[in-house]
Amino acid sequence: MASALILAATAGVVAVLLALRLWVVLHSRVVVPRESLSLMAVVGSGGHTTEILRLLEHLSSAYSPRHYIIADTDEMSAQKISSFELYRADRDPSTMFPKYYIHRIPRSREVQQSWLSTVLSTLYASWLSFPLTYRVKPDLVLCNGPGTCVPICVSALLLGILGIKKVIIVYVESICRVEHLSLSGKILFHLSDYFIVQWPTLKEKYPKSVYLGRIV
Amino acid sequence: MCVVLASSRCSPPRPFCRETCLSGEREFSCGFSSVLLLTAPDVRLVVGPSSEEKQSKPGRYKDSLKEDLEKADLVISHAGAGSCLETLEKRKPLVVVVNEKLMNNHQLELAKQLHKDGHLFYCTCSTLPGLLQSVDLSTVKYFPPGHPEKFSAFLDKVVGLQK
């Protein structure tokens, strides 16, 4: 009886500490001046890939190295990323060898996959995401909505909660989302440092979001 | 030429795409000389008249649709963001076919908004033939480009990158 109470009390204290750490991490917006930073970009498929590569196209070469996370079944995005990096290298003569890496994790959800199996596949993806995120320790995570991004962002948050590294999480909602956020968006609205929307309707509904107009 | 864009992941199944091409050829009043159907991961080429069909060997999905879009007089596409943006930026008239099976149907939101802004026409699989009969492509409005440079300026500021 006593040991059960002690266990429950310990679990409670740990939970409170974790919640406090999460609050501190989410509200820490200290801008650290720097000359370069490593970027982890979560690349979904189809339109998600097109949009995120458009965002990355205009980023300076200070965002290096670039780590691309794709779903293990997504060969098309791997090809698009390689083409994109070649294009960047051609455009920027100072880059001899582009510093980028492609990492693969299981897809969190396939189109029309049931919700129950989505929870299981997301948990499985999360289990594999944390070691990857821990190994890379990016300065910045950038994503735009595919289910693949939730495990990665949660892993990045965990790095902050555990005091390993504060990772800046930037979420850009897809241009497709005009009036309603995606499921990933609804989750990451509360967990990201900067949440960017591309239509004024969403800015009205979510005043804490950032609206820069259409950016893709 | 009419170009039909479809994604094997999000679009209606392939028999529909083939049917669309054939119904498109029947319904177009101006008579397109050829219809090009692009689906990932293969490319299938359908050349008019409708009784003749050529099929290329399955190969890699075209990295860019630019060449085929240049030749198009009309594009029929699923409502994916990538396909819509590429087509509208090429200033091609666009009809999007919305996939009713997608979760929450986010594609319909984009199609509706872009239609409201006068940039494209949208329909479902069943209403496509009717739309093609009645559509007036000359009413389409110019689609201005996006501004990704605003995103990079914002990001540089918040991550502390020095100039």
Side-chain angles (χ1 to χ4, degrees):
Chain A
M1 178 70 175
S3 54
L5 278 173
I6 293 169
L7 203 59
T10 312
V13 166
V14 169
V16 165
L17 283 174
L18 283 176
L20 273 174
R21 279 295 302 162
L22 178 62
W23 190 91
V24 166
V25 167
L26 287 176
H27 289 83
S28 136
R29 293 279 172 93
V30 176
V31 178
V32 176
R34 56 183 112 206
E35 289 183 2
S36 72
L37 78 170
S38 62
L39 163 71
M40 182 178 268
V42 183
V43 182
S45 46
H48 289 293
T49 304
T50 305
E51 287 192 52
I52 205 155
L53 291 181
R54 284 184 180 211
L55 293 174
L56 292 174
E57 196 179 332
H58 285 258
L59 294 186
S60 72
S61 51
Y63 292 84
S64 179
R66 291 176 291 281
H67 296 265
Y68 295 93
I69 313 295
I70 64 173
D72 51 6
T73 50
D74 189 6
E75 258 324 296
M76 212 182 300
S77 288
Q79 288 164 19
K80 285 187 176 179
I81 290 165
S82 301
S83 302
F84 168 74
E85 285 288 342
L86 275 174
Y87 162 77
R88 268 190 74 108
D90 281 343
R91 199 187 58 183
D92 183 3
S94 63
T95 315
M96 284 293 289
F97 300 102
K99 273 168 74 175
Y100 76 98
Y101 308 90
I102 298 179
H103 309 273
R104 289 170 167 81
I105 61 170
R107 196 187 282 273
S108 291
R109 186 179 179 275
E110 296 283 350
V111 175
Q112 294 182 42
Q113 186 179 337
S114 75
W115 285 117
L116 178 61
S117 67
T118 297
V119 172
L120 295 173
S121 54
T122 302
L123 284 173
Y124 178 59
S126 303
W127 178 252
L128 294 176
S129 298
F130 186 70
L132 170 62
T133 315
Y134 176 80
R135 183 165 45 86
V136 172
K137 291 189 190 67
D139 296 304
L140 167 71
V141 166
L142 175 65
C143 52
N144 71 343
T148 326
C149 67
V150 175
I152 293 290
C153 290
V154 167
S155 303
L157 260 180
L158 209 48
L159 287 182
I161 291 171
L162 297 173
I164 298 170
K165 182 169 190 175
K166 162 67 186 172
V167 178
I168 305 171
I169 300 174
V170 176
Y171 182 95
V172 180
E173 187 61 288
S174 166
I175 188 82
C176 287
R177 302 294 175 166
V178 179
E179 295 184 11
H180 304 100
L181 292 185
S182 59
L183 178 59
S184 305
K186 284 176 187 165
I187 296 169
L188 292 173
F189 177 69
H190 304 285
L191 303 179
S192 56
D193 292 289
Y194 300 97
F195 190 93
I196 300 173
V197 296
Q198 300 192 61
W199 294 95
T201 338
L202 283 178
K203 174 63 181 173
E204 282 168 27
K205 283 188 183 174
Y206 301 92
K208 286 187 184 173
S209 64
V210 174
Y211 175 64
L212 303 167
R214 185 156 55 86
I215 52 176
V216 295
Chain B
M1 178 167 76
C2 169
V3 175
V4 179
L5 306 176
S7 154
S8 61
R9 197 173 155 252
C10 294
S11 274
R14 195 152 307 155
F16 161 73
C17 293
R18 198 166 157 275
E19 197 186 300
T20 306
C21 293
L22 297 176
S23 76
E25 286 187 338
R26 280 199 299 274
E27 301 295 343
F28 294 158
S29 54
C30 48
F32 287 97
S33 58
S34 59
V35 176
L36 174 65
L37 169 63
L38 299 174
T39 60
D42 352 321
V43 173
R44 175 174 297 169
L45 186 68
V46 175
V47 179
S50 55
S51 58
E52 190 186 330
E53 181 179 329
K54 287 184 186 172
Q55 193 167 349
S56 68
K57 286 184 188 166
R60 285 165 52 152
Y61 183 67
K62 291 189 172 191
D63 289 330
S64 170
L65 305 167
K66 289 193 176 93
E67 281 172 31
D68 297 302
L69 286 180
E70 288 293 351
K71 295 181 245 172
D73 299 302
L74 168 70
V75 178
I76 301 174
S77 170
H78 70 135
S83 301
C84 287
L85 291 175
E86 285 206 54
T87 306
L88 290 175
E89 282 160 3
K90 284 280 171 203
R91 304 208 195 182
K92 297 294 178 179
L94 174 60
V95 169
V96 301
V97 182
V98 180
N99 185 347
E100 291 145 308
K101 291 188 187 135
L102 276 182
M103 182 182 71
N104 295 333
N105 214 341
H106 60 274
Q107 288 190 351
L108 182 58
E109 259 185 47
L110 178 65
K112 272 186 176 165
Q113 183 64 43
L114 292 177
H115 173 69
K116 196 170 143 195
D117 294 339
H119 301 303
L120 54 73
F121 303 92
Y122 76 95
C123 60
T124 59
C125 302
S126 47
T127 58
L128 175 63
L131 175 70
L132 291 177
Q133 271 189 316
S134 60
V135 73
D136 179 3
L137 300 178
S138 64
T139 58
V140 169
K141 286 187 195 160
Y142 166 65
F143 181 71
H147 295 282
E149 68 281 1
K150 288 188 180 174
F151 169 72
S152 54
F154 169 79
L155 201 62
D156 286 349
K157 190 176 78 175
V158 302
V159 302
L161 271 179
Q162 292 167 347
K163 291 284 174 197

